[in-house]
């Protein structure tokens, strides 16, 4: 019940890691709003846990502001919505990389920008962004995604610096390979995709994929008052993949 009385916005909560985060925050008594491009999926998860749902493309900053205006204010924001478009960089096109940056990086800007004024006013806030170990060590087939996630990590550190005086913490979680539809989409590359996933698995010290629930547990910690003196950090949940 660490999150009793807290209202939390979880983006991308219709699937995978985001759905596990929504379930975990609700289990810890937060009032959860799931905002996802997949409105039906958001409604399904929300119905299961007694949460609310909203249709949102995080790449649309005006839409993010409108969801926050109508369903906020929020004490907790989890920037989880994200996607990849696996290809070696030589196969990438500007159209494809702009969409990846719009969702994975600008989407984090948009939602953070929308929630911060009310958090500053209240003198309290917890912002957690789901980055990736790819943002720290790179990942074959994911050059633009990795750049966006590295950007998320640097962005969150700056938000942490600018907002500590308002009682707001800002941290990133960097998952390693987690068994979700997003990771399994690499299989669309065929045998090379299977090999990329297998290499990731082998690069973890634990020699296994992680589960969405393992990421959700780290998010719940950072969103709670147990993490009251933790800000600007990047917490790897990656079986040791990203340790330096
Ligand atoms: N699965 C992994 O191995 C892994 C590793 C590191 C980081 N991550 C990150 O974790 C987060 C969740 O990924 P996942 O693996 O659960 O993927 P997923 O594909 O299972 O879920 C992603 C969710 O985000 C939603 N979404 C996508 N684009 C959106 C947009 N523009 N606006 C709103 N919602 C949108 C999708 O509809 C979906 O519900 C992402 O940020 C991803 O980059 C995943």
């Amino acid at each position: 019940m660490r999150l009793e009385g807290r209202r939390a916005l979880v983006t991308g909560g219709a699937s995978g890691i985001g759905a596990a985060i929504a379930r975990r925050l609700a289990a810890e008594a937060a009032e959860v709003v799931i905002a996802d491009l997949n409105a039906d999926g958001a409604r399904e998860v929300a119905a299961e846990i007694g949460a609310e749902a909203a249709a949102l493309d995080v790449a649309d900053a005006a839409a993010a502001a409108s969801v926050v205006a109508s369903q906020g204010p929020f004490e907790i924001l989890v920037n989880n919505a994200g996607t990849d478009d696996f290809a070696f960089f030589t196969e990438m096109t500007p159209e494809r990389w702009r969409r990846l940056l719009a969702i994975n990086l600008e989407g984090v800007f948009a939602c953070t920008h929308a929630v911060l004024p009310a958090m500053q006013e209240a003198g309290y806030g917890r912002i957690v962004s789901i980055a990736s170990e790819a943002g720290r060590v790179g990942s074959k087939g994911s050059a633009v995604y990795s750049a966006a996630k590295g950007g998320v990590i640097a962005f969150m550190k700056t938000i942490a610096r600018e907002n500590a005086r308002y009682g707001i913490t800002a941290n990133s979680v960097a998952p390693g390979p987690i068994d979700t539809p997003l990771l399994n989409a690499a299989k669309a590359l065929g045998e090379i995709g299977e090999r990329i996933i297998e290499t990731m698995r082998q690069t973890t010290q634990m020699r296994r994929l992680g589960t969405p629930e393992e990421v959700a547990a780290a998010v719940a910690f950072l969103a709670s008052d147990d993490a009251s003196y933790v800000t600007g950090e990047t917490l790897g949940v990656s079986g040791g993949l990203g340790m330096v």
Side-chain angles (χ1 to χ4, degrees), residues 125-180:
R126 294 275 180 273
I127 304 177
V128 183
S129 290
I130 308 304
S132 171
E133 290 292 13
R136 301 203 280 193
V137 302
S139 185
K140 265 188 208 160
S142 297
V144 178
Y145 174 86
S146 302
K149 295 299 191 178
V152 167
I153 290 169
F155 173 70
M156 292 301 286
K157 290 184 184 192
T158 303
I159 295 302
R161 290 182 191 278
E162 289 183 358
N163 290 281
R165 66 196 163 115
Y166 298 107
I168 299 168
T169 66
N171 293 286
S172 298
V173 170
I178 309 296
D179 194 3
T180 70

Side-chain angles (χ1 to χ4, degrees), residues 56-97:
L56 173 65
D57 178 352
V58 294
D60 179 346
S66 140
V67 165
V68 170
S70 63
Q71 294 187 262
F74 295 100
E75 285 81 28
I76 299 168
L77 167 66
V78 184
N79 285 308
N80 163 82
T83 192
D84 202 353
D85 180 3
F86 295 95
F88 288 113
F89 187 61
T90 46
E91 308 297 321
M92 264 286 155
T93 61
E95 293 70 33
R96 286 169 74 183
W97 76 55

Side-chain angles (χ1 to χ4, degrees), residues 5 30 44 55 59 100 123 126 146 153 196 210 214 220 224 235:
E44 261 173 52
L100 275 178
R126 294 275 180 273
S146 302
I153 290 169
I196 289 172
E214 288 174 314
S224 78
L235 176 54

Side-chain angles (χ1 to χ4, degrees), residues 10-21 34-39 41-42 54-60 79-84 86 99 102-104 107-108 111 129-135 145 149 152 173-185 200 209-210 212 215 237:
V10 179
T11 68
S15 170
I17 294 169
I21 292 168
I34 298 173
D36 201 297
L37 200 55
N38 173 2
L56 173 65
D57 178 352
V58 294
D60 179 346
N79 285 308
N80 163 82
T83 192
D84 202 353
F86 295 95
R99 180 72 186 150
I103 297 170
N104 292 310
V108 174
C111 296
S129 290
I130 308 304
S132 171
E133 290 292 13
Y145 174 86
K149 295 299 191 178
V152 167
V173 170
I178 309 296
D179 194 3
T180 70
L182 175 61
L183 183 74
N184 290 316
M200 286 187 208
L209 302 182
V215 181
V237 181

